[in-house]
Amino acid sequence: MLRKKTDRRGFTLIEVLVVMIIISLLASLVAPKLFKQLGKSQTRTAEAQIEMISTALDAFRLDVGRYPTTEEGLEILWTKPGDLEKYDGPYLPKPVNGDPWGGEYHYEAPGENDRPFELYTLGADGKEGGERENQDVSYWE
């Protein structure tokens, strides 16, 4: 029996390593730019959600004659309480389960400095203050 010699062509180890190095270099250049954009988009999402919630709070005030109390919280915007006569909600189509970073939106009424309410999120780090995506996002700022 004679065996036919097959022509086996493939990549050498050196070629594979060169390709892996090139891919690694490209990833190290592109990844930081992508993550920077991700942080900006989450901040923009938080700003848009806060604007949407504040619009719902204003609609609640127009119907009921006051903003929700701190105890009632934001849940009153999508869940009808049993004791409010002029309630014409829900004011939001679905519950707001948190900010883009997995934290909570904070609501207090009345707010500071004669504001009717405070509505904010603490950003990516979950702490007061911060810069870029760690910066607090507030309705009043």
Side-chain angles (χ1 to χ4, degrees), residues 85-107:
E85 215 173 277
K86 296 180 181 180
Y87 184 93
D88 194 28
Y91 299 95
L92 290 174
K94 60 183 182 177
V96 177
N97 293 324
D99 67 18
W101 302 280
E104 295 181 8
Y105 286 106
H106 300 270
Y107 173 77

Side-chain angles (χ1 to χ4, degrees), residues 37-94:
Q37 292 302 320
L38 177 64
K40 283 183 184 178
S41 68
Q42 287 175 318
T43 300
R44 286 189 201 117
T45 299
E47 290 168 348
Q49 287 179 336
I50 284 177
E51 188 66 34
M52 177 189 65
I53 294 168
S54 67
T55 301
L57 288 167
D58 289 339
F60 177 93
R61 180 181 169 269
L62 287 173
D63 288 345
V64 178
R66 64 173 175 80
Y67 285 103
T69 64
T70 302
E71 292 76 30
E72 291 170 329
L74 296 175
E75 186 176 308
I76 201 167
L77 298 175
W78 60 82
T79 304
K80 180 178 181 173
D83 60 344
L84 283 178
E85 215 173 277
K86 296 180 181 180
Y87 184 93
D88 194 28
Y91 299 95
L92 290 174
K94 60 183 182 177

Side-chain angles (χ1 to χ4, degrees), residues 3-40:
R3 287 183 137 185
K4 284 187 176 181
K5 219 178 186 184
T6 59
D7 187 20
R8 293 186 182 190
R9 298 189 61 126
F11 295 108
T12 66
L13 180 60
I14 298 294
E15 291 171 328
V16 171
L17 287 174
V18 168
V19 169
M20 288 176 54
I21 289 171
I22 292 171
I23 290 172
S24 298
L25 288 172
L26 288 174
S28 68
L29 294 173
V30 173
K33 300 235 183 233
L34 289 176
F35 287 121
K36 185 177 180 183
Q37 292 302 320
L38 177 64
K40 283 183 184 178

